[in-house]
Amino acid sequence: MNDERRSRAVRAGAIVTCARLALGLGLALALAACGSTPVPTYNLSAPSGFSSGGGGAGQLVVMAPAALAVLNTDKIMVEPGGGQVAYLADAQWSDNLPALIQARTIQAFENGSKLRRVARPGDGVSADTQLVIDIRTFALRITDQGPVGVVELSAKLVGAQSGRILAAQLFKAAVPAASTAGAAATAALNDATDQVLVAMVRWASGKF
């Protein structure tokens, strides 16, 4: 087989592989590797216009959230059901999800809490307490009632000197999405994130 025929065969095989992936999911989803078209980028906003308690002199450091490999990416995860995992083909986050959640959590504290002494590791701050976050779920879940943006974060307040867990709480929110399209999916996930972060800020601020 000459080089031209071999190249045509490789391209044809790639097209067939991508088509099989899309058909297997039964949704408008496919891995980003299946195409070279630029993927639209979406951001998460930090909640504002809310207030919470707390006003102590303690300094809080928000640690980089932990996440499984499927969530430690800028791709937007979809749960079609049956234990399957996929990603939206027409949308991606502006940064890896853990970094994005860390930044928006800090901003949420700054926007809504009297606790202004909030930073991230490496900012030169001597922390009294660390906020440790685990991203349990952050995906567009396909249900019988339609797509739903689901966010579930586990949070722990840990004494920086003692290493003891001072408080722990699980925060969850689910917001229906108008469709599985990128704009609708990210809007639902953004609204769910706002609900979770507002609840988290109010909870944590009340511990100081």
Side-chain angles (χ1 to χ4, degrees), residues 46-63:
S48 60
F50 71 100
S51 60
S52 64
Q59 297 190 122
L60 178 70
V61 165
V62 178
M63 308 299 290

Side-chain angles (χ1 to χ4, degrees), residues 3-176:
D3 291 343
E4 183 178 355
R5 290 182 178 177
R6 185 178 296 108
S7 177
R8 289 176 179 174
V10 170
R11 288 196 297 269
I15 292 171
V16 170
T17 299
C18 291
R20 286 175 177 171
L21 281 172
L23 289 172
L25 288 175
L27 298 166
L29 308 169
L31 296 178
C34 290
S36 58
T37 303
V39 179
T41 298
Y42 293 86
N43 209 341
L44 291 173
S45 62
S48 60
F50 71 100
S51 60
S52 64
Q59 297 190 122
L60 178 70
V61 165
V62 178
M63 308 299 290
L68 294 175
V70 292
L71 288 169
N72 193 6
T73 177
D74 62 355
K75 297 177 182 178
I76 300 173
M77 195 172 89
V78 179
E79 297 177 349
Q84 297 180 12
V85 171
Y87 298 99
L88 287 181
D90 62 344
Q92 66 182 8
W93 297 123
S94 60
D95 201 341
N96 277 12
L97 183 60
L100 201 52
I101 292 295
Q102 182 187 33
R104 299 300 174 258
T105 300
I106 292 172
Q107 292 170 357
F109 273 100
E110 293 170 344
N111 291 345
S113 175
K114 295 178 181 178
L115 179 66
R116 299 292 183 180
R117 299 173 178 85
V118 182
R120 72 184 71 208
D123 284 348
V125 173
S126 179
D128 298 299
T129 307
Q130 297 174 343
L131 178 61
V132 179
I133 299 172
D134 180 61
I135 305 175
R136 292 193 176 186
T137 303
F138 205 100
L140 185 70
R141 182 171 295 166
I142 309 304
T143 72
D144 293 339
Q145 289 72 42
V148 179
V150 180
V151 175
E152 185 175 336
L153 304 180
S154 171
K156 296 181 181 67
L157 291 172
V158 179
Q161 300 302 318
S162 67
R164 294 173 61 87
I165 297 176
L166 307 176
Q169 186 73 35
L170 182 63
F171 300 92
K172 299 187 291 184
V175 175

